Amino acid sequence: MSITGALSNAMQGLQAAGRGSEVIAANLSNVLTPGYGLRVLDLSSNATSSSGGVKVDGISRQVNESLIQDKRLAEAGNANASVIHSLYSTIENMIGAPDEPSSLTAQLATLETDLLTAASRPDAPERLSTAVASARNLANSFVKASNTLQDARSDADRTIGTQVDRLNSALVQVKALNTQITKSQVQGNLNHALLDQRQVLIDEISTLVPVRTIPRDNGQVALYSTGGVVLLDGSAAQVGFQRSNTITPYLTKENGALSGITVNGYPVTTKSDHGGLSGGSIAAQFAIRDDIAVNAQTQLDALARDLIVRFQDPAIDTTLGANDPGLFTDENAAFDPADEIGIAQRIAVNTAVDPQKGGEPWRLRDGISAAAPGDVGDGTLLNRLMDALKDGRPAASGMFSGGSYSAIDLTTTLTSHFGAKRNEAENSLSFSAAQVSELTERLLGDGVDSDQELQKLLLVEQAFAANARVIQTVDELMQTLLRI
């Protein structure tokens, strides 16, 4: 090999070492950067040179697209499971465990105990007042629970609006990045940073709506939901949704009072597992607004209905007429079977017995519609009211239809039902979280390995030193030749 060839080879080696150190530095500085793809320096032998040498072919970005896709779907499932688990936890806390003083079961038991205490001393006004207060607290708990459900539906509706806006924005950004990547690729420029940015955006989109990426020409990608809806293919789809200011038990998507979701003006379902936009965070919010919270309201209404009907029976309180409200009322009116929706939000203690509303507690002893106080020692009605709570009666609505339950049995059944639902949601969340964790670990293993990069850096330093030594040796040879 000639001196010129050796010098040329060394210079090429120094250039390759310099580029290699730049790539390694970029990798190490982006170990924790989301969406960052491992950069690798591509080298080959210099076939155009008679003396050989090394040629820098470029820098490639290495990612495991299959693993990335699996992780996106897992994260979408985890986001969906997390939202649903959160709601079931809220419902379970709202109803309360039987051993919690504020739970519906405990408050029913307290009312039963206070009625028993009042029946043992019907002449004691403070005992009557205590029983009325227990009934008021129980009614207020129903109202609070119903308000909690409607607040959850309203929050879900607002969240859907916010997430749909973000989805539209992200789709437009991916479209713009597609264009930039194509332009950069045609011009022969590196577009790795653009690819990283696009990956982060697609990850975000997939959390909202699970998507699959399909490669297109010139580095572009198309996005399809796992349900087959085209979100981006050349142009970005426009996802539509109309927010609602306030949500009440009467407002549902089924009766047309609440907005569904559209893609380019066409309605798309999010409800079933096979819907166009099923899975992900947006579908979970729809499940809360249109399914889970609505069902919970239905069961709560059934419980409130049973409580009202138990005490408006003229056979229990003979002072009541056929259409007179009893101890518990629908906003101080008797229960109307045609107006059960939202009854838990309207249940209240009869103002005739509630001293906070100008009523008289003695009516709990002598009858809601009694004209005047009766025998202060007669606890017959109080015993009947207590028995009304304990008697097994057929449930007229909700999931309880067909069975015979006491008031506490109904509440216990409801508590167990939503406890089981919460446990099921928790299991789903644990499974999806484990999937995400495992896939994340595997993806990190395929990404930047700081130990491996440091080992590469040592090799680069050795290569740099070796090529520098060659140049030094060539310089010494040239000096020797000049001295001859």
Side-chain angles (χ1 to χ4, degrees):
M1 178 184 295
S2 67
I3 293 178
T4 303
L7 183 61
S8 174
N9 288 350
M11 293 298 294
Q12 293 174 25
L14 287 178
Q15 181 183 12
R19 293 294 299 276
S21 63
E22 291 176 5
V23 171
I24 293 171
N27 286 337
L28 288 172
S29 63
N30 287 280
V31 170
L32 300 178
T33 302
Y36 182 82
L38 175 68
R39 300 334 190 227
V40 176
L41 183 66
D42 298 324
L43 300 175
S44 64
S45 62
N46 192 351
T48 61
S49 173
S50 59
S51 57
V54 65
K55 177 183 177 183
V56 177
D57 295 322
I59 300 173
S60 61
R61 177 178 182 267
Q62 295 187 353
V63 293
N64 189 330
E65 290 292 348
S66 177
L67 196 58
I68 289 174
Q69 183 63 58
D70 289 343
K71 180 173 178 286
R72 283 173 183 157
L73 296 180
E75 287 179 335
N78 187 64
N80 186 284
S82 178
V83 171
I84 291 176
H85 173 263
S86 178
L87 179 65
Y88 275 124
S89 296
T90 298
I91 293 174
E92 187 179 39
N93 293 332
M94 173 189 77
I95 297 172
D99 58 345
E100 295 176 354
S102 60
S103 69
L104 291 178
T105 304
Q107 292 197 49
L108 271 169
T110 299
L111 176 58
E112 183 180 327
T113 300
D114 290 343
L115 287 172
L116 176 62
T117 302
S120 67
R121 282 288 308 279
D123 61 317
E126 67 280 3
R127 297 194 179 191
L128 296 174
S129 296
T130 298
V132 171
S134 294
R136 186 193 311 116
N137 291 338
L138 179 58
N140 289 341
S141 293
F142 274 96
V143 174
K144 182 179 179 181
S146 183
N147 287 338
T148 297
L149 289 174
Q150 299 314 309
D151 288 345
R153 295 182 69 207
S154 296
D155 289 343
D157 189 85
R158 286 191 292 270
T159 301
I160 292 169
T162 301
Q163 292 184 344
V164 166
D165 289 344
R166 180 54 192 146
L167 176 60
N168 284 322
S169 175
L171 289 173
V172 171
Q173 288 177 292
V174 172
K175 177 182 179 298
L177 283 171
N178 271 344
T179 302
Q180 293 178 41
I181 289 169
T182 296
K183 181 179 180 180
S184 177
Q185 186 167 308
V186 169
Q187 293 175 346
N189 299 324
L190 291 178
N191 54 19
H192 299 155
L194 297 175
L195 293 172
D196 291 343
Q197 188 177 356
R198 186 175 68 182
Q199 180 177 319
V200 171
L201 283 171
I202 296 175
D203 289 346
E204 182 181 357
I205 290 170
S206 191
T207 301
L208 302 174
V209 177
V211 296
R212 293 191 180 278
T213 59
I214 300 175
R216 293 290 188 244
D217 294 337
N218 299 318
Q220 298 200 9
V221 295
L223 299 181
Y224 283 69
S225 75
T226 53
V229 176
V230 181
L231 296 176
L232 174 69
D233 199 349
S235 61
Q238 180 65 35
V239 183
F241 176 77
Q242 294 294 323
R243 293 177 175 86
S244 297
N245 294 325
T246 305
I247 293 183
T248 68
Y250 294 101
L251 303 181
T252 64
K253 181 176 178 291
E254 283 66 25
N255 63 22
L258 295 178
S259 169
I261 201 165
T262 61
V263 177
N264 292 331
Y266 294 95
V268 177
T269 180
T270 61
K271 189 171 184 179
S272 70
D273 292 337
H274 304 289
L277 297 181
S278 61
S281 179
I282 290 179
Q285 299 297 340
F286 271 105
I288 288 175
R289 194 198 68 174
D290 300 330
D291 185 16
I292 300 174
V294 171
N295 176 263
Q297 181 70 52
T298 298
Q299 310 314 323
L300 202 62
D301 287 343
L303 206 61
R305 169 183 179 165
D306 177 82
L307 193 61
I308 294 173
V309 171
R310 283 176 185 271
F311 291 103
Q312 72 177 31
D313 187 353
I316 295 175
D317 185 348
T318 57
T319 67
L320 297 177
N323 296 315
D324 289 339
L327 176 59
F328 292 99
T329 71
D330 181 356
E331 294 184 334
N332 221 45
F335 172 72
D336 179 0
D339 191 20
E340 181 176 342
I341 296 176
I343 185 66
Q345 203 171 34
R346 305 189 304 269
I347 188 173
V349 171
N350 198 313
T351 57
V353 301
D354 190 353
Q356 293 187 357
K357 301 293 179 61
E360 300 290 346
W362 58 262
R363 294 184 185 278
L364 195 63
R365 177 193 64 213
D366 300 318
I368 299 294
S369 299
D375 182 0
V376 296
D378 185 2
T380 302
L381 177 56
L382 292 168
N383 284 316
R384 288 177 181 169
L385 294 174
M386 183 176 58
D387 290 340
L389 277 177
K390 297 188 294 183
D391 288 346
R393 298 189 175 201
S397 60
M399 66 180 183
F400 316 104
S401 298
S404 183
Y405 304 87
S406 69
I408 288 184
D409 287 342
L410 282 174
T411 309
T412 301
T413 300
L414 186 67
T415 301
S416 299
H417 171 73
F418 282 111
K421 286 291 187 181
R422 191 271 309 156
N423 187 62
E424 181 182 334
E426 187 171 320
N427 289 337
S428 296
L429 178 60
S430 297
F431 175 75
S432 62
Q435 272 191 317
V436 171
S437 178
E438 175 65 22
L439 291 170
T440 299
E441 289 293 328
R442 291 174 58 188
L443 198 59
L444 289 175
D446 287 348
V448 179
D449 185 334
S450 57
D451 291 338
Q452 190 176 41
E453 293 301 308
L454 290 174
Q455 290 175 7
K456 290 180 181 178
L457 186 60
L458 290 175
L459 295 176
V460 168
E461 289 177 353
Q462 292 174 7
F464 187 92
N467 284 287
R469 178 58 182 162
V470 170
I471 293 176
Q472 183 181 3
T473 301
V474 168
D475 180 63
E476 292 175 352
L477 288 174
M478 292 296 295
Q479 294 296 328
T480 301
L481 290 173
L482 290 173
R483 287 194 298 270
I484 294 176

